[in-house]
Amino acid sequence: MNIRVISAIGLLCLVWGSLWGLVKHSLLIFPPFLFIATRLLLAAFTLMVVQLILRRSILPKHGEWKQLIISSLLICFGFYATQTFAMQFVDSGLSAVLVFTMPIFIGVLAHYFLNERLNVQKILGLILGTLGLIAILWPQLHHLHMNVSLLGQVLLVFSGFFWAMATVYIKKNFAAYDKIKLTIWQLFMGGSVILVGALIFEPIDLKVWLNPLNESILFYIAVIGTGFAFVLWNWIVSQVDTFIASISIMCIPILSLFFGYLIWHEPLTINILVGAAFICLGIFISALKMQRNRFICSDSNAR
């Protein structure tokens, strides 16, 4: 990876690592689906302004709409809406750990759809990641009964799966596409549909929405943490293998656990720590063989 990609990854980790606690805090203030719709649409409109300043086209071509709609469904409904709903019942740090099972799913999906081969190391990573999930969910699994906490944790894993699907889909269909335009329509289409439903079923308290502190937090989450960050993520995915891209941001759940404990006073149980360690270990082991193979191939080509 070149210095531009490494710098982009470092910046993305800082932004997304700080985001989870703020999202959890926002869900205590805003109605969940009005919050996610506002977040997505504010990010989309901001990127439209950027696109106009750059004098680039905003409207997609006629043949691009179908793929953009599919991408928007995966990101806005599969990932964002599912994650936001689930985070009402799960701490921010644990939410990040569960969503960031995403690289494990990418290892499998990329094998079938992107010709990025599933080797022994990736299979071992899948096993370790599964053990990590079991460790985190063990208190609920040990005395199995449906509750909102268990439901939230399961939905967060599904959110990671949909994010993996969206990442593979973008890599396959939008590798050379304008990343700002892609992100605009991903967020705008899904956000608009969510907004319609939210306006029907959720109340609007203007005092909450017009509070300067709440507005500042929402602005950061939407413009920096969603619009800017997802343009950066889509660009990173276009520059390197999807699995390498997903591995490179694995410090984010660790940062989220740290911030959640330090700032939001969220508990760090032994199950969470052991599970997070297994998931991270599994993902890094999955990446080691790929990196080693690339080094060997490069060395052979040099000879």
Side-chain angles (χ1 to χ4, degrees):
M1 288 187 288
N2 60 44
I3 190 65
R4 291 174 62 200
V5 175
I6 293 172
S7 299
I9 288 168
L11 182 57
L12 186 64
C13 288
L14 287 174
V15 171
W16 273 349
S18 66
L19 201 66
W20 292 84
L22 291 174
V23 171
K24 179 68 176 180
H25 174 72
S26 297
L27 291 173
L28 301 175
I29 302 170
F30 300 111
F33 291 103
L34 273 174
F35 165 71
I36 188 61
T38 305
R39 174 185 179 180
L40 297 176
L41 290 174
L42 182 56
F45 284 126
T46 303
L47 291 176
M48 284 182 185
V49 173
V50 172
Q51 196 77 331
L52 287 172
I53 292 171
L54 295 174
R55 296 184 178 180
R56 295 177 181 173
S57 65
I58 293 178
L59 287 176
K61 297 177 182 177
H62 179 72
E64 297 170 348
W65 283 106
K66 180 181 177 181
Q67 292 175 332
L68 284 169
I69 290 170
I70 294 172
S71 175
S72 181
L73 288 173
L74 291 172
I75 284 292
C76 292
F77 289 89
F79 175 58
Y80 272 121
T82 304
Q83 174 208 112
T84 302
F85 176 78
M87 280 189 70
Q88 296 176 92
F89 317 114
V90 184
D91 288 341
S92 64
L94 178 55
S95 296
V97 171
L98 293 172
V99 169
F100 273 85
T101 52
M102 175 268 291
I104 298 173
F105 295 124
I106 277 185
V108 177
L109 293 171
H111 172 81
Y112 291 103
F113 297 104
L114 297 178
N115 218 16
E116 296 177 11
R117 308 310 298 171
L118 186 63
N119 54 34
V120 174
Q121 271 68 22
K122 288 184 183 179
I123 293 172
L124 178 59
L126 289 171
I127 294 170
L128 289 170
T130 303
L131 291 175
L133 286 176
I134 292 172
I136 290 171
L137 299 175
W138 184 250
Q140 287 88 358
L141 296 176
H142 192 57
H143 303 286
L144 189 60
H145 63 279
M146 181 56 68
N147 55 57
V148 291
S149 178
L150 177 60
L151 174 64
Q153 291 174 37
V154 171
L155 287 176
L156 285 165
V157 175
F158 273 106
S159 174
F161 174 71
F162 279 109
W163 186 11
M165 287 182 63
T167 301
V168 170
Y169 189 81
I170 288 167
K171 179 76 172 183
K172 189 175 180 66
N173 294 282
F174 294 98
Y177 200 78
D178 184 324
K179 298 304 177 292
I180 297 179
K181 184 195 288 189
L182 168 63
T183 309
I184 286 170
W185 291 103
Q186 279 182 317
L187 303 182
F188 180 77
M189 289 189 288
S192 299
V193 176
I194 294 172
L195 178 63
V196 172
L199 288 173
I200 295 172
F201 295 106
E202 291 183 338
I204 299 177
D205 185 351
L206 290 179
K207 291 181 180 179
V208 171
W209 292 93
L210 296 178
N211 181 289
L213 178 60
N214 295 347
E215 288 177 343
S216 300
I217 293 173
L218 182 60
F219 180 85
Y220 177 79
I221 292 171
V223 176
I224 307 299
T226 305
F228 168 75
F230 243 93
V231 169
L232 207 56
W233 169 247
N234 287 335
W235 180 78
I236 291 168
V237 169
S238 72
Q239 300 299 305
V240 296
D241 288 345
T242 50
F243 194 76
I244 294 296
S246 62
I247 288 297
S248 66
I249 57 173
M250 270 314 298
C251 65
I252 291 174
I254 307 303
L255 285 171
S256 299
L257 282 172
F258 174 74
F259 287 132
Y261 173 75
L262 192 67
I263 300 174
W264 308 106
H265 308 294
E266 296 175 353
L268 282 178
T269 66
I270 189 65
N271 295 82
I272 293 173
L273 292 172
V274 170
F278 268 101
I279 290 171
C280 292
L281 179 63
I283 292 171
F284 280 116
I285 285 177
S286 299
L288 287 177
K289 181 69 175 181
M290 182 179 290
Q291 295 284 23
R292 185 181 159 201
N293 281 348
R294 285 177 164 238
F295 175 79
I296 292 172
C297 290
S298 299
D299 186 54
S300 299
N301 290 338
R303 292 178 186 177

